[in-house]
């Protein structure tokens, strides 16, 4: 039976979208991966661009609210920011919960190139975390 994984962040615009993309990629057909936010801010165009640089297309992703997934019995819930961990509603499931507080690239400042460098740095952190998560929990 395929495992169900939820990645949760504040606005479901950057970190959770990047994590969803990498978890889908590394898990292949071993899991169904969702992402959501305690709010919805839309998918950040820079998140889309930085993932495209790594040949992963998340342009079709949508920004979803956690309430949309209340009826899904997740196996794993990964919070990718402290705010989401603190504000995460209790989900009606026996999901194993994981947490990693990635920096928020949407708060990056500077020139466009400096901002994209921060997106790339966070992308690489999430990529490594996602690869290791799949190896440990979905293989």
């Amino acid at each position: 039976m395929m495992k169900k994984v939820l990645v949760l962040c504040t606005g479901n615009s950057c970190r959770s979208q990047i994590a969803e993309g990498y978890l889908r990629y590394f898990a292949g057909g071993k899991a169904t991966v969702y992402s959501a936010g305690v709010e919805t801010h839309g998918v950040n165009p820079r998140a889309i661009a930085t993932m495209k640089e790594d040949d992963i297309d998340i342009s079709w992703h949508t920004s979803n609210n956690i309430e949309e997934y209340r009826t899904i019995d997740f196996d794993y819930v990964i919070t990718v920011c402290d705010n989401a961990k603190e504000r995460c509603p209790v989900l009606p499931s026996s999901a194993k919960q994981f947490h990693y507080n990635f920096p928020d690239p949407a708060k990056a400042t500077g020139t466009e190139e400096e901002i994209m460098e921060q997106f790339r740095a966070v992308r690489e952190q999430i990529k490594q975390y996602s690869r290791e998560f799949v190896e440990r929990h979905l293989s």
Side-chain angles (χ1 to χ4, degrees), residues 5 9 24 33 54 57 65 77 81 96 106 119 126 128 139:
V5 180
C9 198
R24 283 178 191 265
V33 182
D54 204 23
D57 182 9
N65 188 285
V77 174
C81 70
K96 292 180 184 172
F119 267 83
I126 294 172
Q128 179 179 343
S139 293

Side-chain angles (χ1 to χ4, degrees), residues 78 98 100 102 125-133:
I78 305 167
F98 297 86
Y100 193 100
F102 293 100
Q125 291 174 28
I126 294 172
K127 181 179 184 177
Q128 179 179 343
Y129 179 90
S130 299
R131 180 186 296 119
E132 291 172 4
F133 183 89

Side-chain angles (χ1 to χ4, degrees), residues 4 11 13 16 34-35 39-40 44 52 57-58 61 68 70 77 79 84 87 97 110 114 120-122 130 133 136:
K4 293 184 225 56
S13 66
S16 53
Y34 304 79
S35 69
E39 305 164 6
T40 55
N44 187 299
K52 189 172 188 168
D57 182 9
I58 64 168
H61 284 196
E68 297 174 49
R70 278 244 176 244
V77 174
T79 50
R87 293 179 55 196
Q97 297 197 2
E114 290 167 336
R120 291 178 189 112
V122 172
S130 299
F133 183 89
R136 290 185 185 137

Side-chain angles (χ1 to χ4, degrees), residues 15-49:
R15 294 167 285 186
S16 53
Q17 295 290 345
I18 292 169
E20 178 184 354
Y22 279 125
L23 288 166
R24 283 178 191 265
Y25 176 77
F26 291 123
K30 299 176 194 158
T32 303
V33 182
Y34 304 79
S35 69
V38 292
E39 305 164 6
T40 55
H41 297 165
V43 183
N44 187 299
R46 291 181 177 121
I48 294 169

Side-chain angles (χ1 to χ4, degrees), residues 46-59 123:
R46 291 181 177 121
I48 294 169
T50 194
M51 289 297 283
K52 189 172 188 168
E53 291 175 354
D54 204 23
D55 294 323
I56 296 179
D57 182 9
I58 64 168
S59 65
R123 177 194 68 199

